[in-house]
């Protein structure tokens, strides 16, 4: 009796259905940055509905890369891993802690897939160099520093508003406040 519920053919079917989306994602290299034009004046009341879909994009690219590796297509796998890292790299300037934590979560998928890529015997020097360049361009420290500064400013603003308004105080103290995505109930984002 087979105890597994998934097979390579199941995964490949899903990846094939996602291929139009992943092909579009590869166009991210044509843009210098990813900016969702958020209204930062909203502070902790801002909605961030793009966090989950962005993370899901990297999951899709990683799954496709794994299938590429399974099929012996190291070149395609390298492209998918590098595209995932481009998403992480080009979306570095969103100055919220939760956004930076999602970037780190996104990169963890690329780490796992990169490890599998490095285990392949048919990887060439050009593909290795491409992957190395992508990882070298990935920056976390400065974006996180900026996010900490914005977090502090948002907290100072929220404290001021809480002192001025009982309604705002109740909403922030008991209503979940904080950065949230739709459907999260105001309690944050599931990483």
């Amino acid at each position: 009796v087979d105890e597994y519920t998934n097979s390579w053919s199941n995964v490949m079917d899903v990846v094939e259905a996602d291929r139009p989306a992943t092909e579009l994602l590869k166009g991210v290299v044509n843009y210098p940055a990813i900016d969702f034009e958020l209204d930062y004046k909203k502070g902790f009341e801002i909605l961030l509905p793009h966090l989950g879909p962005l993370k899901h994009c990297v999951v899709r690219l990683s799954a496709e890369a794994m299938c590429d590796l399974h099929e012996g297509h190291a070149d395609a796998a390298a492209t998918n891993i590098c595209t995932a890292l481009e998403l992480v790299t080009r979306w570095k300037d969103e100055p919220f802690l939760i956004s930076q934590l999602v970037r780190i979560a996104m990169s963890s998928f690329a780490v796992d897939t990169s490890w599998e890529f490095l285990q392949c015997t048919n990887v060439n020097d050009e593909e290795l160099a491409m992957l190395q360049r992508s990882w070298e361009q990935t920056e976390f420290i400065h974006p996180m520093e900026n996010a900490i500064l914005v977090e502090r400013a948002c907290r100072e603003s929220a404290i001021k508003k809480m002192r001025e308004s009982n309604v705002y105080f109740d909403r922030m103290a008991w209503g979940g406040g904080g950065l949230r995505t739709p459907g999260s109930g105001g309690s944050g984002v599931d990483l």
Side-chain angles (χ1 to χ4, degrees):
V1 172
D2 191 0
E3 295 178 20
Y4 301 104
T5 58
N6 295 320
S7 67
W8 277 110
S9 63
N10 292 59
V11 174
M12 289 182 165
D13 287 346
V14 171
V15 164
E16 193 57 41
D18 280 346
R19 198 168 302 276
T22 56
E23 288 303 313
L24 282 173
L25 288 171
K26 291 172 188 163
V28 74
V29 298
N30 298 321
Y31 300 93
I34 299 172
D35 183 357
F36 291 94
E37 299 180 8
L38 301 174
D39 183 3
Y40 296 113
K41 292 177 195 166
K42 291 183 178 181
F44 286 144
E45 295 183 86
I46 197 165
L47 294 177
L48 303 170
H50 57 285
L51 297 184
L54 262 176
K55 183 180 158 202
H56 190 70
C57 288
V58 171
V59 170
R60 286 176 165 186
L61 289 162
S62 295
E64 188 171 319
M66 294 299 285
C67 288
D68 293 334
L69 292 171
H70 180 73
E71 294 290 304
H73 304 296
D75 56 338
T79 299
N80 283 313
I81 297 167
C82 290
T83 300
L85 289 171
E86 288 291 340
L87 285 170
V88 171
T89 298
R90 294 172 193 267
W91 180 56
K92 71 179 188 299
D93 294 326
E94 192 166 292
F96 290 118
L97 282 176
I98 191 63
S99 301
Q100 296 305 314
L101 292 172
V102 170
R103 284 183 68 238
I104 291 168
M106 290 164 60
S107 70
S108 73
F109 287 97
V111 166
D112 294 342
T113 312
S114 294
W115 175 255
E116 295 298 330
F117 177 81
L118 294 172
Q119 306 312 304
C120 287
T121 57
N122 65 334
V123 174
N124 63 42
D125 288 343
E126 183 181 322
E127 294 157 352
L128 288 169
M130 182 172 79
L131 186 62
Q132 181 175 342
R133 279 189 305 275
S134 290
W135 275 111
E136 287 173 348
Q137 293 173 2
T138 307
E139 166 69 43
F140 295 102
I141 294 173
H142 295 298
M144 186 61 85
E145 287 173 344
N146 292 335
I148 289 169
L149 292 173
V150 168
E151 180 85 7
R152 181 178 177 183
C154 287
R155 287 187 186 277
E156 288 175 0
S157 174
I159 289 168
K160 182 180 178 201
K161 289 178 184 176
M162 288 169 74
R163 287 180 177 150
E164 295 170 353
S165 166
N166 288 336
V167 172
Y168 189 84
F169 179 87
D170 287 344
R171 188 171 68 230
M172 291 302 288
W174 313 115
L179 300 175
R180 57 195 187 270
T181 58
S184 69
S187 61
V189 172
D190 179 25
L191 295 180

